[in-house]
Amino acid sequence: MKIQSARFGIIEINDQSIISFDGGLPGLEGLEKYAIIRCDQTDPIQWLQSVDNQDVSIPIINPFLLKPDYEIEIDDSELDLIQTHSEEDLVVLCIMVIPDDLTKMTINLMAPLLVNIRKMIGAQIMMDYITLPISEPAFDALIEYYKKEGEVAADAGSVEKSK
């Protein structure tokens, strides 16, 4: 199927890759169908594109890439929402905020998205029983990720001092 995206133009989506969020996401109730868009220019940041609203594309990332020691605590009722208790079926993603000043980008570690990749069902959960930041700075961790992947120079993101 083809969908229109304000960010990406017309994109081809495999029907089997559409993720259903029952009731939508907080603040986006009613928008229940999304596709994950991979973009070479922003990798490893991906985009959760609404199938129903071309203007809604949310930056997301695998939190373990930026914070390898990230841990989530979810209970059975939250896993019931996505109809799996199998780790093999589970993908964890976190929403990012990317302002014009990229050095101020953040990642929401408190409310991850859980996706059952076998049934393509997702839910955002609020882990309010542990202390994690909603707005964890992400720029430095992303630069470190790029350095490890060999995609940026060691001084990327630094400010050149005038003489």
Side-chain angles (χ1 to χ4, degrees):
M1 95 187 295
K2 290 184 181 184
I3 63 169
Q4 178 70 39
S5 166
R7 182 175 305 277
F8 301 105
I10 296 174
I11 48 180
E12 184 78 28
I13 303 290
N14 182 328
D15 290 347
Q16 287 79 27
S17 67
I18 296 174
I19 304 165
S20 295
F21 289 86
D22 187 28
L25 297 169
L28 296 169
E29 292 81 6
L31 299 179
E32 297 185 355
K33 305 287 185 197
Y34 290 85
I36 295 176
I37 307 299
R38 292 179 186 352
C39 177
D40 289 341
Q41 292 89 345
T42 64
D43 189 60
I45 298 168
Q46 301 171 352
W47 301 85
L48 193 63
Q49 174 65 54
S50 170
V51 173
D52 303 313
N53 184 330
Q54 70 176 5
D55 295 322
V56 177
S57 59
I58 304 164
I60 57 173
I61 195 164
N62 174 341
F64 303 103
L65 296 177
L66 302 186
K67 192 164 176 52
D69 61 345
Y70 178 61
E71 292 182 18
I72 62 172
E73 289 186 23
I74 48 181
D75 61 34
D76 287 343
S77 66
E78 291 163 331
L79 291 172
D80 289 344
L81 291 173
I82 60 169
Q83 301 177 16
T84 189
H85 290 258
S86 169
E87 284 187 35
E88 292 83 34
D89 295 345
L90 183 66
V91 171
V92 178
L93 300 164
C94 286
I95 293 175
M96 298 187 74
V97 173
I98 305 177
D100 288 338
D101 180 352
L102 296 179
T103 64
K104 299 200 180 329
M105 72 174 64
T106 61
I107 181 173
N108 179 345
L109 298 174
M110 180 66 92
L113 301 172
L114 304 180
V115 178
N116 174 342
I117 57 171
R118 200 171 301 276
K119 293 188 176 182
M120 299 308 285
I121 300 170
Q124 184 174 24
I125 62 160
M126 184 68 157
M127 297 190 303
D128 52 5
Y129 33 83
I130 60 175
T131 304
L132 288 170
I134 290 176
S135 295
E136 171 80 7
F139 181 79
D140 290 340
L142 191 58
I143 291 298
E144 286 304 312
Y145 169 83
Y146 287 137
K147 285 180 187 176
K148 288 178 188 170
E149 295 297 309
E151 295 179 12
V152 295
D155 62 352
S158 65
V159 177
E160 184 176 326
K161 296 180 182 176
S162 57
K163 298 180 181 182

